[in-house]
Amino acid sequence: MYYKRLIDKYLSEWTSRSVHKPILLRGARQVGKSTAVRHLGEQFESYVEINLEREPQYKTAFLPDLNVHRIISEISALAQKRIEPGRTLLFIDEIQECPEAIMSLRFFKEDMPSLHVMAAGSLLEFALTELPTFGVGRIHSVFMYPMTFDEFLLANGESLLLEARNAASPSAPLPVALHEKLIALLRTYILVGGMPECVAQWVATHDYLACQEIQDDILVSYEDDFPKYRKRVDTTLLRHTLRSAAEQATRKFVYAQVGDYKTAEVKRALDLLILAGLLIPVTHTSANGLPLGSGADTSYRKIIPLDCALTLRL
């Protein structure tokens, strides 16, 4: 079952624009990127999805050159589906597996502007930093995150409660009974988190332990990706940094608490985890527009894990 996401409205509006750049969906694994695109594909007469990690044969279409007409012709032949501008949504998943595929996106706007093209991938930030050029102004990046509390409420069939909350104001506050129900659901959301698979499990079973098992699997899959980050960074350090970030969440991040590592090493590991989308930095400011300690001490940054539920499990 598909649970409504806030990004759905934006993507639907994108499909109806007379001029639409290819969209590059960016975000960590398992936040629902591919599912959202497949849901969007239902609006089209035809939908073609290729996965460059699971189906590496499609990489060959991008290797000779970046002629999009030839690329589309070869993908159509391999997929045995006709790709037609204005009628087809083409989705290139796990695009980070082929740098040439990423570079080809910028030519779709110029050479085939009426074709709807979307791409997504994990660890895309690493792939983008290694490209000699990227389609500035010709590709639209959209960032996707775990489900928000509002999306959690919708998944649990609480649309009327959400409407009542949105209609509340200082002069007409939410009734006590509805407020208490909202707080109880917020506590549940903090435990279940916003990963779509966890939310689906909760809706189906209301079993915290089943959700915890999924959270554990997600953490393992993230850590399994660590060798892909950089050969120069120790995977053990990445694990320690991720777990320390969870323990230090909402507080000033202190490099020394990670373990017996040099500050420069921890900072590099932290920056990679942020680049991968697993951690979100929150800069502590003095309310005058300047970060506290700016130019001197970046440890004033607070670090928020990707998903609040993963904080508890870490």
Side-chain angles (χ1 to χ4, degrees):
M1 179 178 178
Y2 182 76
Y3 296 109
K4 185 178 180 181
R5 303 296 300 270
L6 298 179
I7 199 175
D8 292 343
K9 181 179 179 181
Y10 176 82
L11 296 181
S12 182
E13 290 174 350
W14 169 78
T15 65
S16 61
R17 295 175 185 172
S18 57
V19 177
H20 46 264
K21 303 174 185 177
I23 282 185
L24 187 60
L25 266 183
R26 297 158 72 167
R29 286 190 186 276
Q30 303 188 50
V31 296
K33 299 187 298 295
S34 300
T35 305
V37 177
R38 291 174 191 134
H39 177 69
L40 179 69
E42 296 174 3
Q43 299 182 20
F44 287 80
E45 293 182 41
S46 66
Y47 171 72
V48 176
E49 175 179 339
I50 63 174
N51 186 306
L52 298 183
E53 182 177 57
R54 188 173 61 244
E55 304 163 305
Q57 66 270 23
Y58 284 102
K59 294 181 185 179
T60 59
F62 300 94
L63 297 181
D65 55 51
L66 300 181
N67 184 315
V68 296
H69 292 281
R70 181 195 55 76
I71 290 172
I72 290 302
S73 177
E74 291 191 18
I75 291 177
S76 295
L78 286 169
Q80 296 186 326
K81 293 182 180 179
R82 190 177 299 278
I83 299 175
E84 300 177 276
R87 302 177 61 185
T88 304
L89 173 63
L90 172 63
F91 177 40
I92 307 172
D93 204 3
E94 301 298 347
I95 195 171
Q96 79 283 348
E97 295 294 322
C98 181
E100 291 81 4
I102 300 175
M103 295 175 64
S104 74
L105 292 178
R106 63 191 177 121
F107 294 107
F108 279 98
K109 180 181 181 296
E110 299 174 354
D111 302 335
M112 201 174 284
S114 56
L115 178 65
H116 292 82
V117 181
M118 297 190 70
S122 306
L123 306 182
L124 256 176
E125 313 307 317
F126 298 148
L128 295 178
T129 58
E130 296 176 354
L131 290 179
T133 182
F134 186 51
V136 177
R138 289 176 282 187
I139 300 173
H140 185 47
S141 290
V142 177
F143 293 84
M144 197 165 178
Y145 303 94
M147 296 177 74
T148 65
F149 180 51
D150 286 9
E151 292 170 332
F152 178 80
L153 290 177
L154 291 174
N156 282 274
E158 296 290 352
S159 58
L160 294 179
L161 178 60
L162 182 59
E163 289 177 12
R165 188 211 64 187
N166 291 342
S169 65
S171 59
L174 200 65
V176 173
L178 294 183
H179 180 265
E180 291 178 349
K181 182 178 182 180
L182 203 60
I183 293 301
L185 286 167
L186 178 60
R187 293 193 182 102
T188 299
Y189 172 70
I190 291 173
L191 290 172
V192 174
M195 289 302 192
E197 188 179 358
C198 289
V199 173
Q201 182 67 254
W202 174 256
V203 172
T205 66
H206 279 53
D207 186 337
Y208 285 113
L209 291 179
C211 294
Q212 177 181 308
E213 183 177 333
I214 293 173
Q215 292 167 7
D216 289 338
D217 289 341
I218 291 173
L219 284 173
V220 170
S221 69
Y222 283 160
E223 293 186 350
D224 286 344
D225 271 343
F226 284 171
K228 302 177 184 178
Y229 281 30
R230 288 289 190 274
K231 293 181 179 180
R232 298 188 298 274
V233 175
D234 179 36
T235 55
T236 301
L237 171 57
L238 286 168
R239 290 189 178 92
H240 287 169
T241 303
L242 180 62
R243 294 174 183 273
S244 182
E247 294 169 359
Q248 298 188 57
T250 74
R251 306 194 308 270
K252 180 179 73 173
F253 186 84
V254 180
Y255 298 130
Q257 291 187 17
V258 174
D260 189 21
Y261 297 99
K262 295 179 180 178
T263 298
E265 294 175 330
V266 176
K267 185 179 184 305
R268 176 163 174 74
L270 188 69
D271 288 342
L272 287 174
L273 291 170
I274 292 171
L275 194 62
L278 301 189
L279 298 176
I280 301 173
V282 180
T283 302
H284 186 191
T285 71
S286 57
N288 62 4
L290 295 176
L292 287 176
S294 59
D297 186 1
T298 57
S299 65
Y300 275 97
R301 290 185 302 178
K302 294 181 180 179
I303 303 296
I304 306 298
L306 174 69
D307 193 333
C308 55
L310 299 189
T311 305
L312 300 176
R313 293 299 305 132
L314 284 166

